[in-house]
Amino acid sequence: MISSLILPLLMQSATPFGSPIDPVLWPSKARPESVVSSPSPRIKTPSDIRFDQCVDQAADDPAAGLLAANKWQIEGGGYLARNCLGFAYAEQENWAKAIPEFVQAAEKAQAAGDERAANFWSQAGNAALANGDELSALKYFRAALAPNTLDGLLKGEVHLDMARAYVALDQYDEAKKQFILVHQLVPEDPLGWLLSATLARRMGDLVQAKSDIAVAAKLVVTDPGIALEAGNIAYQAGDMVNAKSNWEQAIKFDPDSPSAKAATRYLAQLSAGDAE
């Protein structure tokens, strides 16, 4: 299910009676390098093993992770210790401290010829995006893509993050270009289709919006975030029957989700309008 990653009310647009209706993917936490595939398989060194352990600890207990990363850094852990420190800060959503750690880790890894530098740049971009610094995020994402060492899945995720940054900067045409790449690289990712559908609706392209949300709905049949956006698109197209039906589905799929709560408000607004 993807709805836990979707927060409504972040992308403002006209909706029933003027309230915001757009869902948007909230910047996700930095992905730990230890749980994603490396650009090329290699035998793990003692430092690699300690890095994995450090990141795992930071994910389970960020405060303990900070202590472990700082201790390792004092002992000469280098850029791996610094990346783990950044990840621990990111787990605490302390983006201001996470960003420079990720950046320095990426720079040092790149200088050492370590292909993990691309992953570290991606983490830096993700943290910057979460911190509301979209321009820096884009710079770091470009650095992640520059060596062309990321696999298809990770590369697609970077382009998705870039799309979100461009949306935040109101550069919709650039965001649309990124979504095209996302769909090429990770066509099975429902988030990509959901967010591109939302963007298409924002741009007034309801044909594209309907097409994209239909793909998302096929990939994840019972997701409230997708049902909410399907209702949003129907509403903007003047199709109140399908708008209501999809919003009701959003509530049915997960009554406690943010998307279901938004759908409940929109249905109440529609009912109030009908009663007038």
Side-chain angles (χ1 to χ4, degrees), residues 181-241:
L181 294 172
V182 171
H183 299 330
Q184 292 173 349
L185 291 164
V186 280
E188 300 301 312
D189 181 3
L191 281 173
W193 293 104
L194 168 59
L195 297 181
S196 64
T198 301
L199 177 63
R201 178 172 60 78
R202 289 286 307 274
M203 298 178 73
D205 188 349
L206 296 184
V207 172
Q208 187 67 55
K210 290 178 181 179
S211 175
D212 288 356
I213 202 64
V215 176
K218 287 180 180 178
L219 291 170
V220 185
V221 178
T222 60
D223 187 84
I226 293 172
L228 175 68
E229 179 55 27
N232 300 349
I233 294 168
Y235 176 85
Q236 188 159 323
D239 183 354
M240 299 304 153
V241 172

Side-chain angles (χ1 to χ4, degrees), residues 162-182:
M162 291 182 74
R164 293 191 290 119
Y166 280 123
V167 168
L169 292 168
D170 293 328
Q171 296 183 28
Y172 293 167
D173 288 335
E174 291 300 320
K176 185 175 181 179
K177 293 176 184 177
Q178 295 301 315
F179 279 124
I180 291 173
L181 294 172
V182 171

Side-chain angles (χ1 to χ4, degrees), residues 117-182:
N119 290 329
F120 297 168
W121 280 122
S122 175
Q123 290 173 318
N126 195 268
L129 186 58
N131 202 43
D133 186 355
E134 292 85 9
L135 292 176
S136 292
L138 287 170
K139 180 176 70 173
Y140 301 147
F141 291 141
R142 293 188 188 104
L145 294 170
N148 197 30
T149 55
L150 293 175
D151 65 21
L153 174 61
L154 294 178
K155 190 173 182 180
E157 289 179 346
V158 171
H159 283 293
L160 179 59
D161 288 338
M162 291 182 74
R164 293 191 290 119
Y166 280 123
V167 168
L169 292 168
D170 293 328
Q171 296 183 28
Y172 293 167
D173 288 335
E174 291 300 320
K176 185 175 181 179
K177 293 176 184 177
Q178 295 301 315
F179 279 124
I180 291 173
L181 294 172
V182 171

Side-chain angles (χ1 to χ4, degrees), residues 72-96:
W72 189 20
Q73 195 168 2
I74 292 172
E75 295 172 353
Y79 60 82
L80 293 180
R82 191 170 291 279
N83 179 270
C84 182
L85 185 60
F87 182 72
Y89 280 130
E91 284 292 291
Q92 294 181 330
E93 299 187 6
N94 189 340
W95 310 115

